[in-house]
Amino acid sequence: MKAAVLLVMLTCLGGCASVQPLGGSTAHPIQNCNVKVFSSLESASAGGVIVEMCLITGTSSGSFSHTVATAIQKHKDKACECGADNFYIQAQDAGTLGTASVTLVAFKYK
C-alpha cells in the first residue's frame, strides 16, 4: 500500500494530469500539433461547430511558476494526443494553496 501511495505522489510531482475521452471519441493523435487556446466555450464556438474530444485536467505542480498560464502550458499538448488541435478553458483556479489548476476541453471543428 505504501508503495502505491509513493508511486502516485511521485507521478504527481511531475504535474498531475488526467485525460478523459468524451462522447465515445477515439484518439487519433496529431503529430507536430500547434494547439490553439480559447478562453471559453463561447469563444471557441464562434469559429464554427465544435466536436469535443477529451477533458484534460492538470496542475502547475512540478514547476517553479504556479500560475494558470503555467498549468495550461504544461498540459496543452495533451489535446494533440486526443486528436484535437484546439481547446477551451472550462475551469481555472489560480492556486490559493500554491498550485494552479485547469480543466481544458480539447476539440476540433466539424
Side-chain angles (χ1 to χ4, degrees):
M1 179 67 173
K2 288 182 182 180
V5 171
L6 181 60
L7 180 61
V8 169
M9 289 175 59
L10 289 174
T11 302
C12 286
L13 285 176
C16 281
S18 71
V19 179
Q20 178 181 359
L22 296 174
S25 63
T26 56
H28 299 287
I30 300 173
Q31 300 297 321
N32 300 321
C33 177
N34 187 17
V35 182
K36 186 168 182 182
V37 181
F38 293 87
S39 61
S40 66
L41 171 60
E42 292 76 23
S43 63
S45 297
V49 177
I50 67 171
V51 177
E52 295 179 343
M53 303 298 288
C54 65
L55 186 68
I56 304 163
T57 57
T59 70
S60 62
S61 178
S63 299
F64 291 109
S65 172
H66 294 292
T67 65
V68 168
T70 299
I72 290 170
Q73 187 65 32
K74 282 187 68 171
H75 302 292
K76 71 178 186 176
D77 290 338
K78 290 174 180 66
C80 301
E81 296 169 18
C82 295
D85 55 359
N86 305 286
F87 69 79
Y88 66 84
I89 303 167
Q90 185 179 62
Q92 58 185 319
D93 179 5
T96 54
L97 298 176
T99 303
S101 63
V102 292
T103 302
L104 312 170
V105 179
F107 70 92
K108 61 183 179 181
Y109 286 104
K110 202 169 198 182

